[in-house]
Amino acid sequence: MKRYLLKSLALIWVAAALPVYAETGNGANIFQAMEEEMARSMKELKVDDFGPPYFINYQVRHHDRAEVVATFGALLESDIKQKQTLFVDVKVGKPEFDSSHPQSHQYVTESLIPLDHHVDALRRALWYETDLRYKQAIVNLLKKKGRFISGVESHEIADFSPGKPPRERLGPIPEWKPRMEEWEALAKTVSERFHHAEDIEKSKVEVYANRTIRYYYDSEGNKIREGKLHYGIVIDGWVRSSEGDRLHDEESVYLQAGDAFPTEEELLARADRLIDSLQKLKRAPRMDPYIGPAIFSPDATAVLFHEALGHRLEGDRLRQDRDGKTFLKKIGRRILPEFLSVTDNPEMTRFQGTPLLGHYRFDDEGQESEEVVLVEKGTLQNFLLTRMPVLGFSHTNGHARGDGVHAPMSRMSNFIIESKSQVDAATLKQKLIEEVQRQGKPFGLFVKKIIGGETHTEGSGFQVFKGEPLYLYKVYPDGQEELVRGVDFVGTPLSMIGKIMVTGQDREVLNGFCSAESGSIPVTSIAPSVLLREVELQGAKKVRVRPPILAPPVVSASMQ
């Protein structure tokens, strides 16, 4: 059973021009090694009756990470790391029938390669990984032919479509200079705030920097270099309820080059807000399972659409025998209320001033990204596509994505929900109350914050998804709200998204990381609040541990 998880992202600052700390060069040696080994493999790599590959791509990713972590005013970790990874894809056979299938890279390991960019060392790493993937591709092709001959698997669509004209784009490399001493002082100051907070069992403040430089080269001539630099701050806190339930929340925001970095005072205010919210959550009563109308905040709506709709529109899944193929034959049919449309646009960099984490120029097959209208006025129009054709669609729209370790597949980027039926917040709440009264329910629900979700798309299992509310409120007919906890919302995709009655005017950005078969990748959702006619809540899994027996130590004078 496969799970696809969406988790919210911590506070990140993306910088554009910082002083040089660790220069990795322009990648000339990397591309030289790729080109030389590619030419040799495409011409000479063969065994027995099997000829050379018809397609190869290489991806090298250079990773820099600097991290500072503090807890309760004391430094926990301060470290700078580098590594460089290699991904190789080899296809044998023909584009109409080749070695690719859902388990094409069943031997998934993080292949580390030398950092110093010595051409001979790089070529040796490429040689070894290419040889492994070539032999694996031959085995995959033979197994695939066997399934086809035995009738277990049909084959009516080509396996690999023509790409766009080859491109060469050598983007700039972001300069790199972690400010470790400054971050250590900041992390200790902000984390010390939790020392004086009642009920906080555990907390930490993390300041980090991530730089990734991707070098892509394939046998069709695509040659791409892209660099990304992220700076981040995460403020985490944990409390434990009287029953022993461990509760966690974090403060997060996303910023880009040119945006003002949060001041110490702003971060201390965020820590205070987090402490107050967790203290209230700790005292909230557990709720019983329930069915009734609900308002979802923008981030809850984002998770709903991401899990219920987005993953089921990722085209590569529709080629997998095990997938449920919920929407495969629904092109041109209505799947959402007519006032809703959905697009995925990796070309967008900002929305209303907020930077979008899901942005990229070229995907992991070397193809330029495209905006895709998935649902227009409630009617399904398209899927997210790679170079693996899907019934009715024979060309990529630039959505092959992976983490550099797992094989790329079609994935979301900037997933955008638009509505033609909007009301303000007060009217949305009034409509909820009216629906509560119409249904004769004792209360409605308001999901104000959600911590993640998951979905199952396999045909052999139940076509369901789940979301995990963090701040969930009962809304009574008189308008009063009561914070509760201890439940998850569950549903089937076609049923739940079809129960949206109206949306709010408050579209917001949710940046995060989504984990699926091709690894954990950055994604963004842009969504409004929505009113649903009916939502089902089930009891959340209870992970209970006895609270600490003694109270925490008294804060010493040195920490005052």
Side-chain angles (χ1 to χ4, degrees):
M1 181 167 61
K2 193 70 181 178
R3 304 171 69 193
Y4 314 111
L5 305 177
L6 175 66
K7 293 294 184 182
S8 61
L9 176 71
L11 177 133
I12 292 180
W13 176 38
V14 181
L18 298 175
V20 174
Y21 174 77
E23 179 59 59
T24 63
N26 60 14
N29 284 6
I30 294 177
F31 282 121
Q32 179 185 340
M34 286 178 166
E35 291 167 4
E36 291 176 358
E37 201 56 35
M38 179 82 70
R40 187 166 78 111
S41 296
M42 291 295 292
K43 182 179 180 181
E44 301 176 17
L45 186 58
K46 60 186 74 173
V47 62
D48 298 333
D49 295 331
F50 297 94
Y54 79 87
F55 178 84
I56 298 176
N57 83 47
Y58 294 146
Q59 288 194 63
V60 169
R61 298 195 187 202
H62 177 93
H63 301 274
D64 293 298
R65 182 172 177 85
E67 183 177 27
V68 170
V69 183
T71 181
F72 295 113
L75 192 64
L76 192 64
E77 181 180 356
S78 181
D79 195 17
I80 299 176
K81 299 177 181 178
Q82 283 187 323
K83 68 177 180 179
Q84 199 153 260
T85 62
L86 171 65
F87 175 84
V88 175
D89 185 28
V90 175
K91 297 182 184 295
V92 299
K94 298 183 296 183
E96 294 76 21
F97 192 102
D98 69 14
S99 53
S100 60
H101 68 94
Q103 285 79 45
S104 289
H105 280 68
Q106 62 260 46
Y107 306 117
V108 177
T109 59
E110 184 177 51
S111 178
L112 298 176
I113 62 174
L115 285 165
D116 60 7
H117 294 184
H118 189 280
V119 173
D120 289 342
L122 291 170
R123 285 195 63 181
R124 189 172 186 87
L126 288 162
W127 158 77
Y128 183 84
E129 192 71 13
T130 304
D131 180 81
L132 173 67
R133 298 304 177 185
Y134 174 71
K135 289 182 286 192
Q136 182 181 320
I138 291 173
V139 172
N140 290 342
L141 182 63
L142 291 173
K143 288 181 178 179
K144 191 171 180 177
K145 286 182 176 180
R147 293 195 301 272
F148 174 70
I149 292 171
S150 66
V152 174
E153 181 178 307
S154 61
H155 195 86
E156 300 170 353
I157 307 173
D159 288 325
F160 199 57
S161 64
K164 302 170 186 177
R167 291 287 302 272
E168 179 173 320
R169 181 181 185 272
L170 303 181
I173 298 176
E175 293 175 318
W176 170 250
K177 186 178 181 181
R179 301 190 291 271
M180 303 301 284
E181 292 184 3
E182 176 185 333
W183 297 347
E184 289 172 3
L186 180 64
K188 289 193 290 186
T189 299
V190 178
S191 69
E192 195 271 337
R193 200 70 154 199
F194 290 85
H195 240 314
H196 308 280
E198 293 183 6
D199 303 321
I200 299 297
E201 187 174 287
K202 181 181 175 182
S203 72
K204 67 182 176 71
V205 174
E206 179 184 8
V207 184
Y208 66 87
N210 278 333
R211 181 175 72 161
T212 301
I213 306 169
R214 179 172 69 112
Y215 302 90
Y216 176 97
Y217 185 71
D218 67 34
S219 53
E220 294 178 344
N222 290 294
K223 184 178 181 180
I224 297 163
R225 183 187 68 204
E226 288 189 326
K228 292 185 178 181
L229 178 62
H230 304 275
Y231 283 62
I233 301 175
V234 188
I235 307 175
D236 287 290
W238 288 262
V239 297
R240 196 180 301 276
S241 72
S242 58
E243 304 97 334
D245 297 333
R246 199 176 195 195
L247 308 170
H248 165 258
D249 192 11
E250 69 179 37
E251 274 287 320
S252 61
V253 70
Y254 180 70
L255 299 155
Q256 199 171 41
D259 297 336
F261 193 74
T263 65
E264 181 180 296
E265 290 73 22
E266 290 171 332
L267 293 175
L268 288 171
R270 287 181 175 274
D272 290 339
R273 185 167 64 226
L274 178 62
I275 291 167
D276 181 66
S277 297
L278 283 170
Q279 289 171 336
K280 291 177 180 176
L281 185 63
K282 173 181 177 174
R283 292 164 176 77
R286 290 185 66 91
M287 182 181 173
D288 293 326
Y290 186 75
I291 297 177
I295 292 174
F296 278 23
S297 67
D299 75 335
T301 302
V303 173
L304 169 65
F305 273 79
H306 180 97
E307 303 295 351
L309 184 67
H311 279 302
R312 290 171 172 81
L313 299 183
E314 293 169 338
D316 283 15
R317 302 190 191 285
L318 306 178
R319 290 291 300 267
Q320 299 175 5
D321 289 340
R322 67 175 184 265
D323 193 79
K325 301 176 176 60
T326 305
F327 298 110
L328 176 60
K329 297 184 178 180
K330 295 190 182 297
I331 292 293
R333 296 171 60 181
R334 189 164 72 86
I335 62 170
L336 290 174
E338 292 184 1
F339 56 83
L340 291 175
S341 297
V342 181
T343 59
D344 192 276
N345 188 359
E347 298 176 333
M348 286 182 64
T349 58
R350 286 179 176 264
F351 177 78
Q352 296 179 353
T354 302
L356 308 182
L357 187 64
H359 163 72
Y360 61 90
R361 286 287 307 277
F362 292 86
D363 73 1
D364 289 321
E365 291 179 335
Q367 304 298 297
E368 193 165 10
S369 65
E370 297 179 15
E371 178 182 9
V372 182
V373 178
L374 297 165
V375 181
E376 186 174 20
K377 296 180 180 179
T379 300
L380 183 61
Q381 303 288 341
N382 209 333
F383 298 111
L384 303 175
L385 301 170
T386 66
R387 294 182 65 177
M388 179 181 288
V390 174
L391 183 65
F393 299 90
S394 57
H395 296 285
T396 178
N397 50 39
H399 278 78
R401 305 189 68 195
D403 63 356
V405 176
H406 300 81
M409 64 176 291
S410 49
R411 301 283 295 276
M412 288 169 274
S413 60
N414 296 321
F415 197 66
I416 305 162
I417 296 95
E418 300 177 88
S419 171
K420 298 296 184 182
S421 179
Q422 305 176 10
V423 296
D424 60 33
T427 303
L428 193 66
K429 183 174 180 179
Q430 182 57 40
K431 285 183 175 293
L432 170 64
I433 292 171
E434 291 170 359
E435 188 63 20
V436 166
Q437 294 171 333
R438 188 189 71 80
Q439 295 185 24
K441 299 288 186 178
F443 55 83
L445 303 164
F446 192 168
V447 182
K448 291 190 177 181
K449 187 172 182 179
I450 197 166
I451 56 174
E454 63 181 79
T455 190
H456 307 144
T457 66
E458 293 89 342
S460 59
F462 297 106
Q463 289 291 301
V464 296
F465 63 91
K466 181 179 78 171
E468 304 170 41
L470 183 61
Y471 296 107
L472 171 67
Y473 292 80
K474 291 181 178 179
V475 181
Y476 293 98
D478 63 359
Q480 294 295 311
E481 298 182 5
E482 178 190 8
L483 178 62
V484 293
R485 59 181 175 83
V487 289
D488 298 329
F489 69 80
V490 294
T492 55
L494 288 173
S495 174
M496 195 161 180
I497 60 179
K499 293 176 181 176
I500 297 173
M501 300 173 64
V502 67
T503 76
Q505 299 171 334
D506 52 345
R507 282 206 295 169
E508 296 179 6
V509 172
L510 176 68
N511 285 307
F513 286 93
C514 175
S515 296
E517 295 95 329
S518 62
S520 179
I521 61 170
V523 295
T524 299
S525 292
I526 302 173
S529 53
V530 299
L531 172 60
L532 293 108
R533 185 173 294 105
E534 183 180 86
V535 170
E536 180 177 353
L537 299 176
Q538 68 176 18
K541 181 180 180 181
K542 300 177 183 179
V543 181
R544 292 182 173 177
V545 178
R546 185 173 181 173
I549 298 171
L550 298 178
V554 176
V555 179
S556 65
S558 63
M559 297 297 293
Q560 297 287 344

